Amino acid sequence: MGQKQRASSDVDNEVKKRRRVGFSGIDDGVEAKDCITIYLVSSKEEFDAPESFVIHPVDLNSFFNDDGKIYGYVGLKITIWISSISFYAYADISFQSSSDRGKGITDLKSALQTIFAETLVDSKDEFLQKFMVDNDFVRTNISEGEALKHKAFEGNICDSNQHTDSSTSNVEVVRLVAGKMATGQLYSHIIPLTLLLVDGSSPIDVTDSQWELYLVCQKKTDQQGEIQCRLIGFTAVYRFYHYPDDSRLRLSQILVLPPYQHKGYGRFLLEVLYDVAISENVFDFTVEEPLDHFQHVRTCVDILRLRRFDPIQNIVTKAVSLLKQGKLSKKTHCPRLLPPPSAVEDVRKNLKINKQQFLQCWEVLIYIAINPADKNTENFVSIISNRIKYDILGKDSGTSGKQLFDVPSDVDEDMSFVMFRSEANEASNTVQMDDNQANQEEQLQKLVHERLKEIQLIAEKVTHHLGNTGVAVD
């Protein structure tokens, strides 16, 4: 079959057409953290100030699509301002162009409203107006709350830009109970910052009266003589029922606003919570999935409290004396060193520190009591290594069972021993271990090294604080 010969001019025209046809590049998107900047401002003047305080969210990407990216924009830049007075927010969105290049166009307003909800205002003018209209937002909403404790902080008055003076800051902790309009109103304004700054956080049910908010507020007088109330931080605590007629306090969320961090406010808030737990004689005080930094502060606070609790200091002294009885690492069975059950119960009843937290503090208390230059430190490492090995491998580590060591004592007979104990099912295996023996041993040694480093850091901070009460454990 023959083919029709096309004229050369027709061929040239077709080539030119093909050259004009192309495919636009696939939209790779942009990660939210790379195009969004968030400022925390306390006045109109700070809005355009180049040194305004920048906050760094833990994971902005989680609010945008499954892969954390924004699609459909070229040259996208999002600037968000959050008022530290009333916690309203305003977002300025700019971009060079917008088009669907295969992945759609991200609805930016909807995504931002997922974070800020009703606190997101539509215009810059409206946002700036809020500094005047809602200047008393915090003071109004805490007016019916219960003031629990006051404290003066020297030289810690600061705004969002870290401007400080040498004045005394009058700080108080106020308790609000959920189920009331003021509590819901205030919490709805501060939850966006909580979602941005606290990893894994989610809103509480503000209609459930078992929830309580504890707010750290700073009061100072402005140039006009008006008393201003600033929110420094807060915590959300749930009151659980404990059989038969008791309750337990569980801390679920805690946030100290970035400009006020590392100044002792977090520690002050924890101390107030413990005061509440003791004065109301709850069963104990617990924390829901504490993050590493908070756990560090919490342990420092608890160590200081435990060191003032004489019955525990007596037991720590006995435990340290046991570490002098030869090299534990060379013994066939190197046991774990635990306080007697009576001590665990005394700490819970008197200090409201639960068992798990007390055992974390116990190792630090022993370390502080040991002379660092003493060879007994080697025995301490053996105790930590053995405890971690048992927690991970359980009875297979060959440390099951318990041993009691009598210690000469002039006090109550019940206090005249320290227990080396290894109970089955006491701790769950939360670390995935390699099946290979060599790799497993390497992993265990890494965990031991990390725990020893953690103990050392806490001990140094606590002893430094004891020598200088002006140091903030926060």
Side-chain angles (χ1 to χ4, degrees), residues 9-23:
S9 59
D10 294 336
V11 175
D12 291 339
N13 289 335
E14 187 172 335
V15 171
K16 291 179 181 179
K17 289 180 181 178
R18 285 202 300 265
R19 287 175 179 171
R20 288 197 296 266
V21 177
F23 296 95

Side-chain angles (χ1 to χ4, degrees), residues 392-393 429 431-444:
I392 302 300
L393 302 179
N429 184 353
V431 179
Q432 186 67 39
M433 299 299 293
D434 197 301
D435 291 334
N436 182 279
Q437 185 67 31
N439 292 342
Q440 190 177 94
E441 186 64 29
E442 184 180 344
Q443 285 179 281
L444 286 170

Side-chain angles (χ1 to χ4, degrees), residues 31-97:
E31 291 191 23
K33 65 181 181 64
D34 293 332
C35 64
I36 298 179
T37 305
I38 304 178
Y39 296 101
L40 189 64
V41 294
S42 61
S43 66
K44 285 184 175 182
E45 291 71 27
E46 290 181 15
F47 186 87
D48 293 316
E51 71 274 13
S52 292
F53 192 91
V54 179
I55 66 174
H56 303 282
V58 290
D59 186 15
L60 263 177
N61 292 355
S62 63
F63 297 100
F64 295 86
N65 299 317
D66 294 334
D67 58 1
K69 291 187 175 182
I70 299 174
Y71 294 99
Y73 299 91
V74 174
L76 178 64
K77 181 180 179 182
I78 303 175
T79 306
I80 300 172
W81 292 267
I82 301 175
S83 167
S84 62
I85 306 300
S86 60
F87 302 97
Y88 280 100
Y90 166 66
D92 178 72
I93 302 172
S94 63
F95 49 87
Q96 296 173 8
S97 62

Side-chain angles (χ1 to χ4, degrees), residues 398-465:
T399 60
S400 59
K402 65 178 76 173
Q403 303 175 49
L404 298 181
F405 289 80
D406 293 325
V407 178
S409 175
D410 296 327
V411 295
D412 193 319
E413 188 174 330
D414 289 339
M415 301 288 284
S416 62
F417 69 89
V418 174
M419 180 183 294
F420 282 110
R421 184 179 183 187
S422 298
E423 289 185 352
N425 300 322
E426 182 179 290
S428 59
N429 184 353
T430 58
V431 179
Q432 186 67 39
M433 299 299 293
D434 197 301
D435 291 334
N436 182 279
Q437 185 67 31
N439 292 342
Q440 190 177 94
E441 186 64 29
E442 184 180 344
Q443 285 179 281
L444 286 170
Q445 289 304 314
K446 182 179 179 181
L447 291 173
V448 171
H449 175 75
E450 290 174 351
R451 176 56 179 161
L452 288 171
K453 184 178 180 181
E454 179 184 21
I455 290 172
Q456 184 179 16
L457 287 173
I458 294 172
E460 288 176 353
K461 197 163 192 176
V462 169
T463 52
H464 185 54
H465 175 80

Side-chain angles (χ1 to χ4, degrees), residues 124-169:
K124 173 182 175 180
D125 290 341
E126 183 181 359
F127 177 75
L128 296 178
Q129 187 69 16
K130 292 291 184 182
F131 283 107
M132 296 180 60
V133 176
D134 294 296
N135 194 40
D136 291 330
F137 176 79
V138 173
R139 187 173 65 174
T140 300
N141 282 288
I142 68 170
S143 60
E144 296 183 3
E146 178 187 2
L148 298 175
K149 190 173 183 178
H150 297 262
K151 185 174 181 179
F153 281 78
E154 293 291 339
N156 276 340
I157 295 180
C158 63
D159 56 25
S160 299
N161 284 336
Q162 295 289 303
H163 297 146
T164 61
D165 58 41
S166 58
S167 303
T168 298
S169 172

Side-chain angles (χ1 to χ4, degrees), residues 97-301:
S97 62
S98 173
S99 63
D100 185 349
R101 290 175 288 157
K103 295 291 186 70
I105 302 176
T106 301
D107 186 342
L108 296 174
K109 185 175 182 180
S110 177
L112 293 175
Q113 284 181 333
T114 300
I115 306 173
F116 297 101
E118 72 269 16
T119 65
L120 186 66
V121 300
D122 293 328
S123 68
K124 173 182 175 180
D125 290 341
E126 183 181 359
F127 177 75
L128 296 178
Q129 187 69 16
K130 292 291 184 182
F131 283 107
M132 296 180 60
V133 176
D134 294 296
N135 194 40
D136 291 330
F137 176 79
V138 173
R139 187 173 65 174
T140 300
N141 282 288
I142 68 170
S143 60
E144 296 183 3
E146 178 187 2
L148 298 175
K149 190 173 183 178
H150 297 262
K151 185 174 181 179
F153 281 78
E154 293 291 339
N156 276 340
I157 295 180
C158 63
D159 56 25
S160 299
N161 284 336
Q162 295 289 303
H163 297 146
T164 61
D165 58 41
S166 58
S167 303
T168 298
S169 172
N170 183 24
V171 174
E172 69 176 2
V173 174
V174 178
R175 173 165 58 184
L176 295 178
V177 178
K180 298 182 179 180
M181 184 176 295
T183 306
Q185 174 77 0
L186 182 60
Y187 185 74
S188 67
H189 279 233
I190 59 180
I191 188 58
L193 272 175
T194 307
L195 296 176
L196 290 170
L197 297 173
V198 181
D199 191 18
S201 60
S202 58
I204 67 171
D205 181 1
V206 292
T207 65
D208 185 350
S209 60
Q210 296 302 106
W211 281 106
E212 298 171 357
L213 296 183
Y214 293 79
L215 305 124
V216 186
C217 300
Q218 181 189 72
K219 291 185 176 180
K220 63 176 183 178
T221 304
D222 61 18
Q223 295 178 348
Q224 288 72 38
E226 297 288 334
I227 296 178
Q228 300 297 322
C229 187
R230 299 281 182 86
L231 183 67
I232 292 175
F234 86 100
T235 183
V237 175
Y238 196 80
R239 191 176 291 267
F240 281 95
Y241 167 74
H242 186 271
Y243 179 85
D245 56 358
D246 212 339
S247 62
R248 309 179 75 177
L249 295 182
R250 185 182 72 182
L251 187 151
S252 178
Q253 295 174 350
I254 184 168
L255 173 65
V256 174
L257 299 186
Y260 304 100
Q261 291 175 3
H262 308 296
K263 293 179 172 61
Y265 296 115
R267 176 193 168 196
F268 176 52
L269 185 52
L270 269 177
E271 289 173 345
V272 172
L273 290 175
Y274 274 122
D275 288 345
V276 170
I278 292 171
S279 64
E280 298 181 1
N281 196 28
V282 301
F283 184 77
D284 63 9
F285 174 77
T286 64
V287 179
E288 179 184 357
E289 299 180 1
L291 298 177
D292 290 344
H293 176 71
F294 173 77
Q295 180 60 29
H296 181 88
V297 175
R298 175 194 183 193
T299 302
C300 287
V301 170

